[in-house]
Amino acid sequence: MKNSLVCLLAVCLASPAAAQNGERPSGGALTLKDCIERGLERNFSIKMIKNRQQVSANNATPANAGLLPTAEIAASYGGDFHSTSTTERATGLKTTDRNVYDGTLDVGVDLNWTLFDGFSVWTNYKQLKLMKEQGELDTRITIENYVASLVQEYYNFIQQSVRLKNYHKNMELSRERFRNAEINYGIGSYSQIDYLQAMVDFNADSTQYMKQLEYVNTSRIRMNELLNSGDVSRAILLSDTTIDVNSGLRYEELWRSTLATNASLLMAHTNTEIARADYKKVMSRDYPYVRLNVGYGYTMNRYEISATKRRDDWGLNAGVTVGFNLFDGKRRMQKRNAELDIKYAELERENLRLSLRSDLNDYWQAYKNNLQIVQKAREILNDAERYYELAYLSYQKGMMSGFEVREVQNSLLDAEERILTAEYDTKMCEVSLMLLSGKVLDYLEGGE
């Protein structure tokens, strides 16, 4: 029994900061902005999504859409060996030429350009630019989700660290009570029951403290993972030691910002525009097409037995092709499907808008409610601290039993836990509201 108590005392006397990790954090304390900047620079998911964004940006060019002409230069040379037998009508004289070789050389530059095809080419270009916007929005969604996760874990680490300090303080109070009970029991002032009860409470609080170390370490590992640290178990020192609650959010401002800047809603709008562009491409087949071709070529013909030994031709050639698709059996079906795709995209956008409104209201109600809980919890904590001070003085004077002071001590710990949970829940609602309204990157600028 005494050996186990010695071990527990060794743990209890260790400070909460030192108990988190055996090493000191390298560098100074990290602010939330520092963590976000470091994470955005190192995170693998963001690097991968930026590569995909660059592909869509590279594709969004007039040439890829077909707006620019195509030009090519080509050269060819061919020849043939043949034998010729000729019989004259008047004389009947027969002449035979064997292994006659004729050759032809062609060199030319050709330019082809679709001048008009029912606006299909322009629609292609618009679609490519919309896909570029999609790539940018995909990147933004990934970044915003990452920042929200990092902010949440940042404050979770603070929450777990503050809880660890609260448990450490509670353990110290129990240790002092146990020490006092041990002394009084030795001189016969306390009964064995008082002594054993104080020891049980101290052991229980020590175990609770050591268990909380696990949650702090888990959050620390998660923070290092989000920051893409080489060593996920390295110590972390944050500049913030408390959760600052931002009570300045306004619902109407958040909703206006959601409609204007929410990345998912903007993505849904882009999807609708792409569906409309597909419809225009189908309808472009109702128009004629006009194509221009221009070329400059050189041709050399070599004849072995002809009256002409060699012939060279060069010059410019040009032409315009006008055509019209008289019948396409798939056009009606494709038109109907394109109309349905537009309707689906519009419904999806409206459904998302409704869902965002619902989520915003849910988080807003929780945010307001938690703000009230925080205010009330602060009042309760002040009362609990004063009550414990008075109760412990009464306990030292023998006017209150160990069981009664334990109840007061638990009430103080409950009050500390209540305010910590309320502050953290309020902050999580705040982060969710900032994410929905497209303002989560304000944390990068040092905003609360």
Side-chain angles (χ1 to χ4, degrees):
M1 175 69 72
K2 290 187 176 295
N3 290 335
S4 63
L5 286 176
V6 170
C7 294
L8 283 173
L9 282 170
V11 174
C12 297
L13 293 174
S15 68
Q20 291 181 37
N21 198 294
E23 58 177 315
R24 292 290 298 168
S26 59
L30 295 174
T31 64
L32 178 58
K33 181 180 179 181
D34 293 333
C35 291
I36 295 175
E37 289 177 343
R38 182 176 299 186
L40 291 177
E41 180 182 352
R42 299 178 177 180
N43 185 264
F44 289 125
S45 297
I46 294 175
K47 290 181 179 180
M48 290 187 291
I49 198 67
K50 283 184 176 180
N51 283 343
R52 293 176 56 187
Q53 176 190 343
Q54 189 59 48
V55 171
S56 60
N58 293 340
N59 290 336
T61 61
N64 194 35
L67 282 170
L68 301 182
T70 61
E72 63 177 11
I73 182 171
S76 64
Y77 182 82
D80 62 272
F81 286 94
H82 59 275
S83 298
T84 303
S85 177
T86 305
T87 302
E88 295 184 7
R89 184 183 298 275
T91 63
L93 181 64
K94 184 177 181 181
T95 304
T96 301
D97 296 301
R98 298 184 180 278
N99 298 322
V100 176
Y101 174 75
D102 293 334
T104 301
L105 170 68
D106 282 306
V107 180
V109 178
D110 293 302
L111 182 143
N112 298 283
W113 196 358
T114 300
L115 299 177
F116 180 76
D117 65 345
F119 308 105
S120 177
V121 174
W122 288 101
T123 305
N124 281 337
Y125 187 40
K126 180 180 179 180
Q127 275 191 319
L128 290 173
K129 291 192 290 185
L130 289 171
M131 290 177 182
K132 176 184 176 183
E133 291 180 16
Q134 279 187 328
E136 294 169 351
L137 289 171
D138 278 335
T139 301
R140 181 183 158 192
I141 289 172
T142 300
I143 290 175
E144 288 183 345
N145 288 335
Y146 168 77
V147 170
S149 298
L150 182 57
V151 173
Q152 289 171 342
E153 195 56 49
Y154 180 90
Y155 286 106
N156 180 51
F157 184 76
I158 294 175
Q159 175 193 219
Q160 301 300 341
S161 299
V162 172
R163 183 172 289 122
L164 182 68
K165 292 178 181 179
N166 291 341
Y167 287 169
H168 184 267
K169 182 178 70 173
N170 187 59
M171 183 180 60
E172 287 293 306
L173 294 175
S174 295
R175 183 173 69 88
E176 180 62 23
R177 177 171 150 242
F178 171 66
R179 186 187 65 81
N180 184 67
E182 187 177 32
I183 294 173
N184 283 279
Y185 175 64
I187 63 177
S189 299
Y190 281 6
S191 67
Q192 187 179 17
I193 293 178
D194 291 330
Y195 168 72
L196 292 176
Q197 182 62 52
M199 183 176 63
V200 168
D201 292 340
F202 173 57
N203 288 340
D205 293 340
S206 301
T207 302
Q208 185 181 47
Y209 170 76
M210 289 186 289
K211 184 65 177 177
Q212 180 59 27
L213 283 173
E214 294 182 19
Y215 298 114
V216 174
N217 288 332
T218 299
S219 180
R220 176 169 51 83
I221 291 170
R222 174 62 177 158
M223 276 289 294
N224 279 314
E225 179 186 2
L226 288 170
L227 295 175
N228 196 21
S229 300
D231 180 10
V232 295
S233 62
R234 67 184 300 179
I236 292 179
L237 180 62
L238 301 183
S239 63
D240 293 318
T241 57
T242 59
I243 300 176
D244 295 326
V245 176
N246 178 15
S247 60
L249 300 182
R250 298 293 178 265
Y251 177 81
E252 290 302 327
E253 180 183 346
L254 290 170
W255 178 237
R256 285 195 299 268
S257 180
T258 300
L259 292 177
T261 63
N262 179 272
S264 297
L265 196 58
L266 293 175
M267 180 70 79
H269 175 73
T270 303
N271 291 338
T272 303
E273 292 302 310
I274 290 177
R276 288 173 178 164
D278 284 332
Y279 177 79
K280 289 181 180 179
K281 287 170 67 175
V282 174
M283 297 303 296
S284 67
R285 301 176 191 174
D286 292 336
Y287 294 87
Y289 59 84
V290 180
R291 296 169 184 162
L292 171 68
N293 61 282
V294 178
Y296 187 89
Y298 166 75
T299 302
M300 184 274 289
N301 293 288
R302 174 183 176 280
Y303 307 103
E304 187 169 335
I305 61 174
S306 173
T308 302
K309 181 179 181 181
R310 173 173 169 169
R311 178 175 177 176
D312 296 280
D313 295 300
W314 62 89
L316 183 70
N317 62 83
V320 177
T321 302
V322 180
F324 188 83
N325 191 348
L326 295 177
F327 178 75
D328 184 350
K330 299 184 294 183
R331 187 184 308 174
R332 181 175 296 180
M333 174 270 293
Q334 291 173 338
K335 178 182 176 182
R336 287 197 298 263
N337 288 344
E339 291 172 343
L340 291 173
D341 288 341
I342 294 175
K343 187 65 176 178
Y344 180 87
E346 291 174 344
L347 291 172
E348 189 176 41
R349 183 182 60 186
E350 291 305 310
N351 182 61
L352 177 60
R353 186 176 183 273
L354 178 62
S355 178
L356 290 173
R357 187 72 183 247
S358 177
D359 290 342
L360 191 72
N361 276 274
D362 285 342
Y363 286 119
W364 178 252
Q365 294 300 325
Y367 170 75
K368 290 198 304 180
N369 185 56
N370 279 296
L371 281 177
Q372 295 176 354
I373 294 175
V374 167
Q375 183 63 34
K376 190 65 177 177
R378 287 172 178 168
E379 297 174 4
I380 295 174
L381 179 60
N382 290 332
D383 295 338
E385 288 174 340
R386 290 197 300 268
Y387 184 33
Y388 180 80
E389 291 174 1
L390 294 173
Y392 193 73
L393 288 175
S394 299
Y395 169 71
Q396 288 180 320
K397 294 177 181 180
M399 301 170 58
M400 182 176 286
S401 67
F403 178 79
E404 290 174 321
V405 80
R406 177 65 177 179
E407 290 297 314
V408 178
Q409 182 181 341
N410 287 337
S411 297
L412 175 60
L413 184 62
D414 289 342
E416 291 171 337
E417 179 64 23
R418 191 178 298 111
I419 191 172
L420 179 61
T421 301
E423 288 174 343
Y424 178 74
D425 290 344
T426 305
K427 180 60 72 172
M428 293 304 97
C429 291
E430 173 199 322
V431 174
S432 298
L433 289 170
M434 297 289 278
L435 179 62
L436 285 172
S437 59
K439 291 175 171 286
V440 75
L441 293 182
D442 287 357
Y443 290 112
L444 185 59
E445 301 172 2
E448 293 294 335

